[in-house]
Amino acid sequence: MVSLPQGFPAGAELPDVVLELGELFSRAGFDLSLVGGPVRDLFLGRVSPDLDFTTDATPEEIIHVVTGWADTHWDIGRAFGTIGIRRGHDTLEVTTYRAEAYDPASRKPQVRFGDSLADDLLRRDFTVNAMALRLPSFELVDPHGGVRDLYAGLLRTPATPEQSFSDDPLRMMRAARFAAQLGLKVAEEVRTAMTQMAGRLQIVSAERIQAELVKLICGAHPRAGVDVMVETGLADIVLPEVPALKLTDDEHHRHKDVYQHSLQVMEQAAQLETGPEGPVPGPDFVLRFAALMHDVGKPKTRRFEPGGGVSFRHHDVVGAKLTRKRMQALKFDKETIRAVSHLVELHMRFYGYGDQGWTDSAVRRYVTDAGDQLERLHRLTRSDVTTRNRKKAARLARNYGELETRIAQLQEQEELAKIRPHLDGKQIMEILDIPPGPVVGRAYNFLLEHRMEHGPVDHEAAVALLRQWAAENL
């Protein structure tokens, strides 16, 4: 590791490979600077996962300079001026100075190479990311006050916000993301531009928006990021179901704010994540996003009852469908969509049993229906308690604790996570001497239902049950 000179935070270091690369480019007659996130993170006392560089060398010249020094390189980003490099255990990206702009009708940035570091920094998204370290001298270049803004906790743009967001509308999502990741406050002029230009986000591909949303939800302050999205209108484009939660209050405001409740549930769910060795290592996007979306079915199911009450019957089922549709539009993979929407659909299941206690069959159904999402469902259900009534909160926590105890007790007796009927399809066909078909499925479901209600039985008892069912139904 290389220690940085006076003027940087005490203990600030960079990998040796940074200095080596700087000296390599210097000897070849090119400028090279470490830029963006790695420089910002030096002042935050964080270790950046990225090592990004910018240079006046063209992609062809970059390849020529690193040949023989790099273990390997790749040019998949060559059209954007970026060459990837691997040296030992370090992965680096070197990009030619550039200016990036969007055509109003295009979803893809139009790349134009620049010829100076100053111009390159001007075109970057925010001042905290528009700092560079010239190499190998380690001279800090900060023309737009990035260090000042970082210590002030403020997010501003190097150029005007309007120009910055016109060049790349995705930067509006990044503003919300940095509020979530770094706890930065979005400057008023930036917030105003975001509000005025939110609609321009529609030209950005769903995949790019999805990537920013995941980073936002997994940030240290996800509530702040979601608030920025909602207050500026970005959420109307990306997640319209979330701002719609504000409409679930009645006109007299006698019922809880479902939007604020959902943000609190998301925060509480994040607090229940575990370390790397636990069942739900944080940050966990699936748990957090399910917590945010768990009540999105309420606006469509809201009913005003006689006497002033408000009901949201079946909002869990409706919410799961809305969540699935939204995630599909954002191009999430099938497994993530399945996991999140399943949690949304199950988040009310615990309350269906109230204080009546949990029978063995009810526990089996709960575990079986949750499947591989049981640990997340535990955390989502516990997080979905935001009442200020301490007695009610304590009662709900106690009841759920009793459910978890019942699950643990039954798991010692039975393999709940692998509940199967007493006999499989092949055994059913052999015992009843029938071919594959609907009857096998009906028999299978009967045995599974019996297993849920009564627990496991031995083989002889299972055969007797099957023959009795066949005598009565075939």
Side-chain angles (χ1 to χ4, degrees):
M1 299 294 285
V2 179
S3 297
L4 297 184
Q6 188 174 2
F8 290 90
E13 295 180 324
L14 286 170
D16 294 336
V17 71
V18 172
L19 182 58
E20 290 178 23
L21 189 63
E23 292 174 339
L24 195 67
F25 271 75
S26 179
R27 287 196 297 268
F30 295 110
D31 293 335
L32 184 75
S33 298
L34 185 69
V35 71
V39 182
R40 177 199 67 220
D41 287 348
L42 286 173
F43 291 93
L44 291 175
R46 306 194 321 175
V47 176
S48 178
D50 305 309
L51 289 174
D52 298 326
F53 303 81
T54 188
T55 180
D56 58 349
T58 64
E60 293 75 15
E61 290 168 334
I62 295 170
I63 293 173
H64 179 74
V65 170
V66 302
T67 297
W69 176 82
D71 295 331
T72 187
H73 72 269
W74 55 95
D75 59 1
I76 192 170
R78 190 170 187 155
F80 295 92
T82 300
I83 302 299
I85 301 167
R86 182 173 295 114
R87 168 80 169 180
H89 297 294
D90 295 304
T91 299
L92 326 170
E93 286 193 351
V94 183
T95 302
T96 304
Y97 295 150
R98 64 188 186 184
E100 196 172 286
Y102 262 71
D103 181 280
S106 173
R107 288 179 177 268
K108 296 181 179 180
Q110 309 298 311
V111 176
R112 178 165 46 88
F113 294 149
D115 55 12
S116 75
L117 177 60
D119 289 344
D120 185 88
L121 295 180
L122 180 63
R123 59 150 290 276
R124 292 184 176 267
D125 53 5
F126 302 104
T127 60
V128 296
N129 295 328
M131 300 182 285
L133 282 184
R134 289 190 184 276
L135 299 170
S137 66
F138 291 121
E139 174 195 350
L140 177 65
V141 181
D142 182 18
H144 306 289
V147 173
R148 175 198 62 209
D149 289 345
L150 198 57
Y151 288 147
L154 195 64
L155 199 64
R156 296 189 307 113
T157 55
T160 66
E162 292 78 8
Q163 180 62 53
S164 182
F165 299 150
S166 179
D167 285 347
D168 186 353
L170 187 67
R171 290 174 175 176
M172 293 184 282
M173 277 293 295
R174 288 192 193 130
R177 189 243 291 184
F178 284 124
Q181 284 186 326
L182 305 177
L184 299 177
K185 179 182 178 182
V186 180
E188 284 304 316
E189 69 274 13
V190 176
R191 187 181 290 265
T192 298
M194 291 169 65
T195 304
Q196 294 172 346
M197 301 177 68
R200 186 142 166 76
L201 197 60
Q202 292 174 320
I203 74 167
V204 181
S205 69
E207 290 84 355
R208 295 183 76 210
I209 291 174
Q210 178 214 114
E212 291 297 327
L213 179 62
V214 170
K215 292 175 183 177
L216 184 157
I217 296 297
C218 291
H221 314 279
R223 182 174 191 153
V226 174
D227 261 337
V228 169
M229 287 181 61
V230 170
E231 292 168 4
T232 59
L234 296 183
D236 293 333
I237 308 298
V238 178
L239 284 177
E241 297 80 8
V242 172
L245 293 172
K246 290 192 171 189
L247 303 180
T248 55
D249 294 342
D250 69 275
E251 61 184 356
H252 301 295
H253 303 286
R254 289 173 294 188
H255 303 280
K256 68 182 178 184
D257 183 334
V258 181
Y259 170 68
Q260 293 298 332
H261 162 75
S262 297
L263 294 184
Q264 186 175 346
V265 173
M266 178 175 63
E267 282 188 321
Q268 293 178 172
Q271 292 169 3
L272 294 178
E273 293 167 343
T274 64
E277 302 303 319
V280 185
D284 187 86
F285 173 78
V286 169
L287 173 61
R288 294 183 183 200
F289 197 58
L292 177 64
M293 302 292 281
H294 77 285
D295 274 347
V296 296
K298 283 191 170 181
K300 286 185 176 294
T301 58
R302 179 177 63 167
R303 298 290 183 273
F304 292 104
E305 304 292 348
V310 179
S311 67
F312 303 98
R313 294 187 181 90
H314 306 303
H315 76 273
D316 44 356
V317 177
V318 173
K321 292 179 179 178
L322 291 173
T323 299
R324 187 177 301 110
K325 184 177 180 180
R326 179 56 50 198
M327 294 183 73
Q328 288 170 343
L330 290 170
K331 307 297 184 183
F332 278 93
D333 63 275
K334 291 181 179 180
E335 178 56 29
T336 303
I337 294 173
R338 181 198 68 81
V340 174
S341 58
H342 193 50
L343 286 169
V344 172
E345 185 171 4
L346 292 178
H347 83 272
M348 291 295 294
R349 184 66 60 88
F350 165 71
Y351 299 98
Y353 293 90
D355 297 321
Q356 65 189 21
W358 288 78
T359 63
D360 286 354
S361 62
V363 174
R364 293 188 192 101
R365 291 180 189 280
Y366 191 83
V367 172
T368 301
D369 289 347
D372 60 356
Q373 299 305 312
L374 180 62
E375 289 294 342
R376 286 180 173 131
L377 183 59
H378 285 333
R379 286 156 177 79
L380 176 59
T381 305
R382 285 190 174 278
S383 301
D384 193 19
V385 178
T386 60
T387 178
R388 296 179 181 178
N389 185 320
R390 293 184 178 181
K391 289 186 178 180
K392 181 179 180 182
R395 175 174 56 81
L396 290 171
R398 182 175 62 253
N399 288 352
Y400 201 80
E402 291 173 357
L403 169 60
E404 290 182 308
T405 299
R406 294 286 297 113
I407 290 173
Q409 290 171 342
L410 275 180
Q411 281 177 328
E412 289 183 4
Q413 304 166 23
E414 310 172 18
E415 290 188 84
L416 291 188
K418 300 178 181 179
I419 287 182
R420 299 289 186 273
H422 305 305
L423 303 168
D424 61 26
K426 182 179 180 181
Q427 292 171 312
I428 291 171
M429 289 187 288
E430 290 176 350
I431 293 167
L432 297 183
D433 191 22
I434 58 176
V439 173
V440 179
R442 289 166 52 198
Y444 184 96
N445 289 335
F446 161 74
L447 292 173
L448 178 60
E449 183 72 16
H450 189 278
R451 171 76 169 80
M452 289 285 193
E453 288 293 335
H454 304 288
V457 299
D458 61 31
H459 182 76
E460 290 185 5
V463 171
L465 282 169
L466 177 61
R467 292 190 184 284
Q468 180 182 350
W469 174 86
E472 296 173 355
N473 292 275
L474 298 183

